[in-house]
Amino acid sequence: MSELLKAVEAQDNPNVPELSPGDTVKVFLRIKEGNNERTQEFRGTVIRKRGGGQASNFTVRRIASNGIGVERTFLMRSPRIEKIIVERHAKVRRAQLYFLRERTGKSARLKQKFS
Amino acid sequence: MLKGLIGKKVGMTQIFDEAGAVVPVTIIEAGPCYVTQVRLPENDGYSAVQLGFDEIKPKRLTGGQLGHLKRNNLPPLRFLREFRAKDPEVSEGDKLTVGEVFSVGEAVDVIGTSKGKGFQGAVKRYHFRGGPKTHGQSDRQRAPGSRGSGTTPGRVYKGARGPGHMGSDRVTAQNLKVVLVDGERNLLGVRGAVPGAKGGLVLIRAARKQ
């Protein structure tokens, strides 16, 4: 890709740590409501990561009330991400954990990996 | 100040605005341009400014072209284009850069040459519907159908739409918002797409329809 294009693109957000599928993370997101700015939390499991430079992103899945699954995709380089806490790594054998979508309760658990 | 520049399309990417939202942008390497000639109603019958862009080796130009540039002690330039301007407020020999001409938030028109598509059918070229897919049809799916009337007039009117050469046309993308100006690297970023291939020549001017 052209060096000129790279020059105007955003750099990696330093607040985003190394993530891998299966990680349980807490994403702190800056939200603007009118003139107020507040921080919103989103806690869940990373079910996929996608490359693509400027458009690289990752998806976090969490189980909201009544057992409804909610997935949210964040851009890796988004300046809105304030920080990310990785709470737990999990032992997974694939890069995209789409099988979690069909599972609920006990079967949706992932085995913890200690590094 | 004349609101016009010549540039080269670099490519597309996305950037984040102050609110953190993603904006699709086309990056254009715009200028630096030189004012090679100012056309006046007294001499030329209309008023315009001729700009030059892209410095090259002198041997790439003919003697006449070099002479034209030499009048104002300008370097050899690959492209010369005119911009209509009533009172341009520039004089021959001036150097124009993006930082001076455009600022973030302005609306501009970008003129380029669209990508050539070759000889194309009427479905792709003019969005004809084509023929039916079923009911015993064969070889009719992308056919243009009838092009004219019957015995009267007994011919196809000139200009009737049909298959032919598509692309490589002069296309103007109107009212694009300037989202990025980098005076150091001579880069201009506009929201949305711009006609033409990467590396293609584009003209940038203030938006006509505001």
Side-chain angles (χ1 to χ4, degrees), chain A residues 43-82:
Chain A
R43 187 179 174 280
T45 314
V46 177
I47 65 161
R48 71 168 171 199
K49 282 202 322 179
R50 304 175 93 186
Q54 194 71 350
S56 55
N57 56 51
F58 62 97
T59 301
V60 179
R61 178 177 173 86
R62 80 182 189 106
I63 305 300
S65 55
N66 293 326
I68 296 165
V70 175
E71 285 178 13
R72 193 153 177 196
T73 302
F74 303 94
L75 287 161
M76 289 270 192
R77 297 187 183 179
S78 172
R80 280 186 186 163
I81 295 179
E82 203 170 86

Side-chain angles (χ1 to χ4, degrees), chain B residues 48-184:
Chain B
V49 176
Q50 189 188 71
L51 294 185
F53 170 64
D54 201 5
E55 285 182 41
I56 49 171
K57 289 185 213 158
K59 70 169 182 182
R60 303 252 179 239
L61 294 183
T62 64
Q65 289 168 325
L66 285 172
H68 175 61
L69 295 166
K70 204 102 179 233
R71 271 203 325 172
N72 297 302
N73 286 319
L74 291 172
L77 301 165
R78 190 189 298 271
F79 302 109
L80 299 178
R81 294 289 184 276
E82 273 189 20
F83 289 79
R84 286 294 185 113
K86 276 269 148 53
D87 39 358
E89 294 169 37
V90 288
S91 49
E92 290 181 9
D94 283 359
K95 186 177 177 181
L96 303 179
T97 57
V98 228
E100 298 161 8
V101 180
F102 294 111
S103 54
V104 172
E106 276 179 320
V108 292
D109 293 343
V110 179
I111 302 161
T113 307
S114 63
K115 282 187 186 176
K117 310 282 183 204
F119 192 101
Q120 292 297 332
V123 173
K124 187 186 180 86
R125 197 171 174 216
Y126 291 113
H127 305 301
F128 281 17
R129 295 253 171 89
K133 291 185 177 131
T134 55
H135 295 295
Q137 307 279 336
S138 66
D139 303 345
R140 299 291 308 160
Q141 279 207 15
R142 294 180 74 86
S146 168
R147 298 193 71 194
S149 319
T151 315
T152 320
R155 62 188 175 91
V156 175
Y157 288 120
K158 274 192 179 170
R161 295 176 305 163
H165 184 268
M166 183 181 175
S168 304
D169 297 319
R170 178 188 160 105
V171 178
T172 307
Q174 297 186 59
N175 284 328
L176 301 179
K177 215 175 122 194
V178 176
V179 291
L180 182 143
V181 173
D182 186 339
E184 227 169 86

Side-chain angles (χ1 to χ4, degrees), chain A residues 1-5 7-11 30 32 54-56 75-80, chain B residues 10-22 25 27 29 180 182 185 187 198:
Chain A
M1 194 169 62
S2 159
E3 293 300 315
L4 287 173
L5 274 191
V8 299
E9 288 182 344
Q11 298 304 307
R30 269 191 289 264
K32 250 208 171 113
Q54 194 71 350
S56 55
L75 287 161
M76 289 270 192
R77 297 187 183 179
S78 172
R80 280 186 186 163
Chain B
V10 176
M12 286 195 76
T13 183
Q14 53 187 35
I15 59 170
F16 295 97
D17 65 10
E18 325 79 59
V22 169
V25 290
I27 304 298
E29 195 181 354
L180 182 143
D182 186 339
R185 298 193 191 87
L187 295 183
K198 288 176 197 169

